[in-house]
Amino acid sequence: MKRLLVFIKKEFTHVLRDKKTLLILFGMPIVQVLIFGFVLSNEVKNTNLLVIDQAQDSATKEIISKVQASVYFNIASVTFDVKDVEASFKKGKSKAALILPKDFEKNLMTKHVAQVQILADASDPNHATTIENYLTAIIRDYTNSLNTTMPYTITPEVRMLYNPQLKGAPNFVPGVMALILMLVCVMMTAISIVREKEMGTMEVLLVSPFKPIMVIVSKVVPYFILSMLNIVSILLLSVYVLGVPIKGNVLLLFAESALFISTCLSLGIFISIKTQTQQVAMLISLMGMLLPTVLFSGFMFPIENMPFPLRMISNIVPAKWFYIIVKDIMIKGLGFAAVWKESLILMGITVFFLGISIKNFKIRLA
Amino acid sequence: MEEVVIQADKLTKKFGDFTAVDAITFQVRKGEIFGFLGANGAGKTTAMRMLCGLSVPTSGEAKVAGFDIYKETESIKKNIGYMSQKFSLYEDLTVVENIRFFGGIYGLTNEQIKNKTQQLIERLGLTSVQKQLVVDLPLGWKQKLSFSIAIIHQPKIVFLDEPTGGVDPLTRRQFWELIYEAAHNGITVFVTTHYMDEAEYCDRLSIMVDGRIKALDTPKNLKAEFEVESMDEVFYKLARQATRAE
Amino acid sequence: MKAVIAENISKQYNGKPAVEKVSFEVDEGEIFGLIGPDGAGKTSIFRILTTLLLPDGGSAQVHHWDVVKDWRAIRNAVGYMPGKFSLYQDLTVEENLHFFATVFNTSIQENYHLIEEIYVQLEPFKNRRAGKLSGGMKQKLALCCALIHKPKVLFLDEPTTGVDPVSRREFWEMLKKLKQQNISIVVSTPYMDEASMCDRIASIQSGSILSIDTPQYLVKNYGNQLFKVKANDRYRLLEVLKSVPSTKSYAFGEYAHISVEKGHQMEASEIRQHLHQNGLTGVEIGDAEVTIEDCFINLLH
């Protein structure tokens, strides 16, 4: 036991002495969260808006002038024909359209219910959601201003064109978590084990009373701890800096993260057993792990829109399941009942890779 | 007076507080085999890098093949050859491909490359393996090929950084025969080695200790000066004075 | 009891033989040298003996344990210094030593007497990272790490390659002292001058052993006539000597050595005359003292 502790301490020393690794370990999560948080999302100003006013009554005029007054929108033009929308979107003249149907005021006054339709170009999903939110807010503001005891309701019907599911919108925090863990656990674990092979220290460790499998175990422990620290730092950042709250159970979230970290570590171990040089280990981790994570986790590109073969591939990407789990817990506030299936899949992947790693592990060099 | 091809004058290189090379002054004459000896960390590699134009000196002057090592590094590189134990050849190319590649790098014409390739392969007895990948050659052959390629463009000086590690004594001597031949053809050879018997093969040699040149003469005179039988003991006497450990 | 017994061990890589039917024995408390160039199979032999590789054929025992069956026992009892450098560059001298001591289930204090003499030289640098040490210092530290658990047999694969002559000499002085502690040592080297420091040496070439003998025996039984020659133009001298029939000649220090094949006799004057005829000046000729290197060159021819 003492030997294991000394070994783990040595691993920590390696990490702490290597400034570059440290920077990757702790700098990258912060930078990524901030980049995704501030650059990729938010703040839509002066969006060109097409207004289709089929009612042309005082209520619609009121709404149009409110929209006009807001800093978020420029009214590109006001027309009558719905067909104009597509042409305008395609030419890029406007990013969204607000359709005020016929008899708007009449419906509002008599039925106390009126409908508007918001069409948004969702090829940039973040942008589209923001537009939707702002427009809805303006309309709600108008309803409130009607200053009457009668409850008037305007129900906006929102349609996202080109990317109806709005996948990948503000849910970048789960995505970043998956990405970082993939990078730290898979790549760093693999590299640190392979480095011992390259340096010849593995030979010495093998020719020692230290059990070969313990070499692996002692490599894994520090990275597990470091990854948990990373999770904490990402979550703190997202809650306190980006204002993305954790709606679900925090403990459950940590437990699931620990599960995913184990999955990644098992992948890292597998790579390290199969490769001989740090270069190859790094390449495999990057191309074989990181790239699929970016492509197939659903974080950058919506899986639903992919062709069938790619959708199938996405099923074997562990990050996809973790991404779903974190989104469910963190954003939707669901409990374990909602994510047990995904958890089981991750567990399966972990056991699978640990199994073949142990089977392939050699007590000798060749 | 013979032509001087390397002229170093108080050449110094500092890394922060650490003086790796401390005001070394020496001359190497044309066609000479000049041994550049020193313990690990004495400053040999740093000095050699400055002379090859790979590293800018902190102070001092030096001319290599008549060119200034501050301003004319490009001209220096055209007039020297370099071979080290670590980098020699592309292992995944064949013998012929390596020769052609380096011939091209050194700016030989296609005609010259063709002739040289043929000559070289015959001279080294590599005819039967000329289409084989270099990785499959024995180390001794690789070293000989690597040396021949380093002088394929008839440089004025060839720098050899521990060229003969890890081969048997016979192969090592065959390698030295190539060196003699090159020197005989007027190429100046500047060589570092850890084999003290090889030191004896040099026309003159310098021994560096702690960044300074502590001895510089023919092997014979050095042995006489230190009153010992072999270069090994000359080296031992000198290097033991070293105070720094890299 | 023998420290090492190797019987006909063989090893192939992708069909290419690396070690072919190698047999030797190492006595307890002996320094046994494996001398040969890179690629001769030295490292494979070391790895088979330290249980890192399985032999394709033959059998071997280290301290009466079988290298295949009893690998665990062997790993507990031997020290190994692989050819590729084997310390943690980013750990300090002291941390490296402490780490390896712990891995081997011991402590620095327990066997300090074994390494004391080496370690005092390292002590001034004990807080320096291993990566920042000179070649000789690294080698000493690696030796300390391999010794810290008082191994019964010490395997050193090219411990002095790339190390300067002074450090090499010191390193061998240390090995001599370890021998007095009754530690058996198997060591490989490409340096001929180190061969004479061993009790017995096996010369190995292309995976096979050419000879196993004491250095003294090799030198005594050289058999050939050996001359040393000197002339003003060394290049020409070597060229001309090639044309002397029934001899092999090669550069040797400041001289050239001429080895006359068995069954032939030659007078120094004959050689001198031959050289003069070819226009060489400053010729000095005499009988040469046979060294291990001459013996090996003779074996290789």
Side-chain angles (χ1 to χ4, degrees):
Chain A
M1 195 59 208
K2 190 196 162 212
R3 275 186 280 168
L4 189 63
L5 282 179
V6 167
F7 207 119
I8 291 170
K9 189 178 152 229
K10 182 209 95 181
E11 279 322 305
F12 271 114
T13 318
H14 283 318
V15 176
L16 294 178
R17 295 231 168 117
D18 185 357
K19 297 286 175 292
K20 274 181 228 152
T21 311
L22 264 187
L23 201 69
I24 294 178
L25 261 177
F26 292 103
M28 204 175 51
I30 295 171
V31 170
Q32 284 216 3
V33 169
L34 294 181
I35 286 178
F36 282 108
F38 287 122
V39 181
L40 287 190
S41 66
N42 287 329
E43 280 319 331
V44 173
K45 275 184 186 162
N46 297 324
T47 305
N48 287 329
L49 181 73
L50 178 70
V51 179
I52 318 260
D53 186 0
Q54 294 171 326
Q56 305 205 335
D57 47 35
S58 60
T60 60
K61 292 229 169 65
E62 181 87 2
I63 288 173
I64 291 170
S65 69
K66 269 190 185 294
V67 172
Q68 181 80 290
S70 108
V71 293
Y72 303 114
F73 298 104
N74 278 336
I75 293 188
S77 57
V78 181
T79 66
F80 188 77
D81 194 351
V82 185
K83 281 182 196 136
D84 294 342
V85 175
E86 190 156 6
S88 176
F89 276 19
K90 285 209 166 139
K91 282 180 195 152
K93 281 188 183 161
S94 55
K95 283 279 170 199
L98 174 64
I99 303 177
L100 303 159
K102 246 193 302 189
D103 303 326
F104 181 82
E105 189 171 29
K106 198 170 116 197
N107 285 341
L108 192 63
M109 293 305 156
T110 55
K111 300 182 189 160
H112 304 297
V113 173
Q115 286 195 324
V116 298
Q117 193 179 28
I118 298 167
L119 294 173
D121 176 355
S123 50
D124 180 350
N126 292 335
H127 200 161
T129 333
T130 319
I131 292 170
E132 175 214 327
N133 289 337
Y134 287 162
L135 275 175
T136 317
I138 292 171
I139 290 165
R140 201 184 309 122
D141 187 40
Y142 168 75
T143 335
N144 294 342
S145 74
L146 285 178
N147 201 11
T148 154
T149 50
M150 296 298 281
Y152 294 105
T153 343
I154 298 174
T155 46
E157 186 205 325
V158 181
R159 270 183 63 198
M160 296 296 170
L161 298 183
Y162 312 123
N163 178 6
Q165 304 283 328
L166 265 189
K167 285 292 151 186
N171 306 336
F172 55 85
V173 173
V176 170
M177 276 167 72
L179 211 62
I180 299 284
L181 291 180
M182 213 66 195
L183 199 78
V184 171
C185 304
V186 181
M187 193 161 85
M188 303 236 167
T189 318
I191 286 178
S192 81
I193 297 176
V194 175
R195 185 167 52 209
E196 302 249 357
K197 289 194 200 176
E198 253 186 3
M199 300 290 292
T201 41
M202 197 56 133
E203 275 180 65
V204 176
L205 292 178
L206 283 177
V207 187
S208 81
F210 204 59
K211 286 212 180 65
I213 202 78
M214 294 308 265
V215 176
I216 305 287
V217 173
S218 47
K219 284 278 176 186
V220 159
V221 172
Y223 286 101
F224 187 90
I225 295 171
L226 289 170
S227 303
M228 287 311 277
L229 279 177
N230 254 321
I231 294 281
V232 173
S233 72
I234 295 175
L235 289 179
L236 283 177
L237 269 178
S238 72
V239 171
Y240 291 106
V241 179
L242 300 173
V244 180
I246 301 168
K247 288 199 181 141
N249 187 325
V250 178
L251 279 180
L252 180 61
L253 188 59
F254 275 112
E256 294 285 352
S257 303
L259 172 62
F260 182 63
I261 291 170
S262 311
T263 314
C264 294
L265 290 174
S266 71
L267 277 168
I269 293 169
F270 178 68
I271 292 175
S272 73
I273 282 174
K274 284 287 171 196
T275 55
Q276 296 302 323
T277 65
Q278 293 184 59
Q279 264 181 347
V280 175
M282 179 131 97
L283 213 67
I284 293 182
S285 313
L286 281 176
M287 302 306 280
M289 302 294 152
L290 210 59
L291 210 62
T293 300
V294 172
L295 293 177
F296 294 117
S297 61
F299 151 54
M300 292 285 209
F301 309 101
I303 292 167
E304 285 80 355
N305 296 2
M306 289 179 185
F308 180 73
L310 294 185
R311 275 205 309 260
M312 289 315 288
I313 292 176
S314 77
N315 285 336
I316 57 164
V317 175
K320 171 188 167 172
W321 305 109
F322 180 62
Y323 178 65
I324 295 173
I325 292 172
V326 177
K327 246 174 37 179
D328 283 354
I329 298 173
M330 196 173 159
I331 313 280
K332 298 188 186 156
L334 302 176
F336 184 66
V339 294
W340 69 271
K341 243 189 282 176
E342 286 81 2
S343 311
L344 212 61
I345 294 172
L346 282 185
M347 237 178 270
I349 297 176
T350 313
V351 170
F352 175 75
F353 278 105
L354 275 183
I356 52 173
S357 298
I358 289 170
K359 217 172 152 228
N360 278 286
F361 186 78
K362 292 195 187 72
I363 53 162
R364 295 192 165 85
L365 285 177
Chain B
M1 183 68 197
E2 282 178 77
E3 187 189 337
V4 170
V5 289
I6 300 176
Q7 166 81 56
D9 199 9
K10 297 203 181 100
L11 199 59
T12 302
K13 179 81 185 185
K14 290 184 182 170
F15 298 105
D17 296 336
F18 179 73
T19 309
V21 175
D22 193 359
I24 57 172
T25 301
F26 65 94
Q27 292 182 345
V28 180
R29 293 189 284 268
K30 184 174 189 295
E32 194 172 34
I33 301 174
F34 189 82
F36 200 58
L37 275 53
N40 300 111
K44 283 175 303 179
T45 308
T46 312
M48 197 137 141
R49 284 204 182 128
M50 285 192 282
L51 295 174
C52 292
L54 297 174
S55 166
V56 182
T58 310
S59 66
E61 297 295 327
K63 280 194 166 180
V64 174
F67 300 103
D68 186 87
I69 60 164
Y70 288 96
K71 288 175 233 146
E72 296 168 303
T73 53
E74 286 312 307
S75 306
I76 288 177
K77 285 176 193 168
K78 277 184 200 137
N79 284 283
I80 62 171
Y82 179 78
M83 171 197 170
S84 83
Q85 200 180 353
K86 284 171 196 114
F87 169 78
S88 43
L89 304 165
Y90 290 100
E91 302 238 304
D92 52 351
L93 298 184
T94 66
V95 171
V96 171
E97 283 165 346
N98 264 293
I99 301 176
R100 285 202 191 125
F101 172 76
F102 284 101
I105 289 278
Y106 287 127
L108 302 190
T109 64
N110 285 340
E111 185 72 12
Q112 281 173 316
I113 290 175
K114 217 173 140 193
N115 292 339
K116 279 276 179 190
T117 308
Q118 207 50 44
Q119 258 178 23
L120 240 167
I121 285 171
E122 273 168 33
R123 168 74 183 81
L124 297 175
L126 295 174
T127 315
S128 58
V129 295
Q130 57 176 314
K131 296 251 161 63
Q132 271 185 28
L133 297 186
V134 165
V135 67
D136 297 324
L137 295 185
L139 181 62
W141 293 15
K142 279 188 217 172
Q143 291 177 348
K144 282 183 232 169
L145 179 61
S146 177
F147 175 73
S148 304
I149 286 177
I151 57 169
I152 197 168
H153 56 305
Q154 286 292 324
K156 290 205 172 112
I157 306 157
V158 62
F159 290 88
L160 308 175
D161 194 1
E162 290 179 38
T164 57
V167 295
D168 65 67
L170 193 59
T171 310
R172 219 143 52 75
R173 284 178 171 79
Q174 288 165 356
F175 187 88
W176 270 86
E177 283 180 24
L178 289 180
I179 295 183
Y180 287 136
E181 191 185 82
H184 190 75
N185 293 332
I187 297 177
T188 307
V189 180
F190 188 95
V191 58
T192 72
T193 178
H194 281 323
Y195 293 94
M196 284 306 120
D197 58 330
E198 290 189 345
E200 309 250 16
Y201 303 159
C202 300
D203 294 319
R204 284 194 311 143
L205 42 91
S206 70
I207 299 177
M208 270 183 96
V209 179
D210 289 350
R212 293 199 190 94
I213 290 184
K214 278 284 157 83
L216 199 170
D217 212 327
T218 62
K220 192 177 163 189
N221 291 346
L222 284 175
K223 280 185 283 186
E225 183 187 333
F226 287 88
E227 297 170 338
V228 289
E229 286 295 305
S230 68
M231 274 314 299
D232 199 25
E233 283 167 78
V234 173
F235 188 86
Y236 193 70
K237 276 195 169 178
L238 273 172
R240 221 176 27 185
Q241 307 165 356
T243 51
R244 79 188 189 199
E246 204 160 339
Chain C
M1 189 171 35
K2 297 282 182 189
V4 176
I5 302 172
E7 278 169 3
N8 288 320
I9 50 172
S10 301
K11 181 74 194 174
Q12 299 186 341
Y13 298 107
N14 307 320
K16 281 189 195 162
V19 178
E20 284 180 285
K21 298 210 172 207
V22 163
S23 303
F24 61 89
E25 291 183 354
V26 178
D27 290 322
E28 213 165 315
E30 186 180 34
I31 301 183
F32 187 86
L34 282 173
I35 317 286
D38 283 7
K42 290 174 297 187
T43 300
S44 297
I45 295 173
F46 272 102
R47 286 181 171 170
I48 288 168
L49 294 178
T50 51
T51 76
L52 286 170
L53 277 183
L54 291 172
D56 294 330
S59 65
Q61 287 158 28
V62 172
H63 208 259
H64 76 72
W65 288 303
D66 184 86
V67 293
V68 180
K69 280 205 318 271
D70 309 318
W71 58 275
R72 210 173 269 282
I74 293 178
R75 288 181 185 190
N76 275 300
V78 304
Y80 175 42
M81 211 172 126
K84 276 193 291 179
F85 192 61
S86 55
L87 294 168
Y88 294 102
Q89 311 282 317
D90 53 349
L91 299 188
T92 65
V93 170
E94 202 177 20
E95 284 167 343
N96 264 297
L97 194 58
H98 178 66
F99 173 73
F100 282 104
T102 317
V103 163
F104 280 98
N105 249 343
T106 179
S107 64
I108 300 178
Q109 291 75 32
E110 204 170 309
N111 290 312
Y112 189 70
H113 63 282
L114 263 181
I115 59 160
E116 186 174 5
E117 210 163 323
I118 313 168
Y119 194 64
V120 286
Q121 300 177 44
L122 291 166
E123 200 126 39
F125 310 105
K126 69 179 186 188
N127 290 322
R128 189 181 288 196
R129 306 234 175 127
K132 296 232 161 98
L133 293 176
S134 71
M137 286 290 186
K138 279 182 192 171
Q139 238 64 14
K140 282 173 198 161
L141 176 57
L143 183 63
C144 284
C145 291
L147 271 176
I148 192 67
H149 60 297
K150 196 171 198 310
K152 296 193 165 63
V153 188
L154 191 57
F155 291 94
L156 308 171
D157 190 4
E158 297 210 4
T160 54
T161 295
V163 177
D164 66 72
V166 176
S167 303
R168 270 166 48 199
R169 196 186 279 209
E170 289 173 359
F171 193 85
W172 277 92
E173 277 160 16
M174 283 171 223
L175 293 191
K176 291 243 151 125
K177 280 181 190 137
L178 288 177
K179 179 185 142 86
Q180 289 161 7
Q181 305 259 6
N182 213 28
I183 293 176
S184 317
I185 300 171
V186 184
V187 57
S188 71
T189 177
Y191 297 100
M192 291 300 131
D193 52 343
E194 293 181 352
S196 54
M197 313 268 206
C198 302
D199 293 321
R200 285 191 307 143
I201 37 177
S203 146
I204 175 165
Q205 187 85 12
S206 314
S208 306
I209 288 184
L210 300 180
S211 71
I212 304 178
D213 273 306
T214 63
Q216 297 77 16
Y217 181 88
L218 277 173
V219 168
K220 221 170 84 189
N221 290 274
Y222 181 67
N224 296 5
Q225 259 184 304
L226 192 69
F227 294 107
K228 56 178 183 181
V229 200
K230 215 165 150 177
N232 285 345
D233 186 340
R234 192 201 304 258
Y235 174 66
R236 284 265 300 134
L237 173 67
L238 286 169
E239 287 291 303
V240 170
L241 284 176
K242 275 184 192 160
S243 61
V244 181
S246 313
T247 63
K248 297 273 183 264
S249 53
Y250 43 87
F252 201 96
E254 58 175 317
Y255 295 94
H257 277 187
I258 307 161
S259 166
V260 184
E261 281 169 23
K262 281 196 183 81
H264 293 82
Q265 278 291 319
M266 201 169 272
E267 294 296 320
S269 57
E270 288 175 62
I271 299 170
R272 184 190 295 274
Q273 198 183 355
H274 184 79
L275 295 177
H276 280 310
Q277 275 166 4
N278 283 282
L280 281 158
T281 55
V283 175
E284 279 175 42
I285 191 161
D287 287 332
E289 204 175 304
V290 178
T291 67
I292 291 286
E293 194 152 6
D294 292 299
C295 299
F296 281 133
I297 291 174
N298 197 33
L299 279 171
L300 291 167
H301 264 303

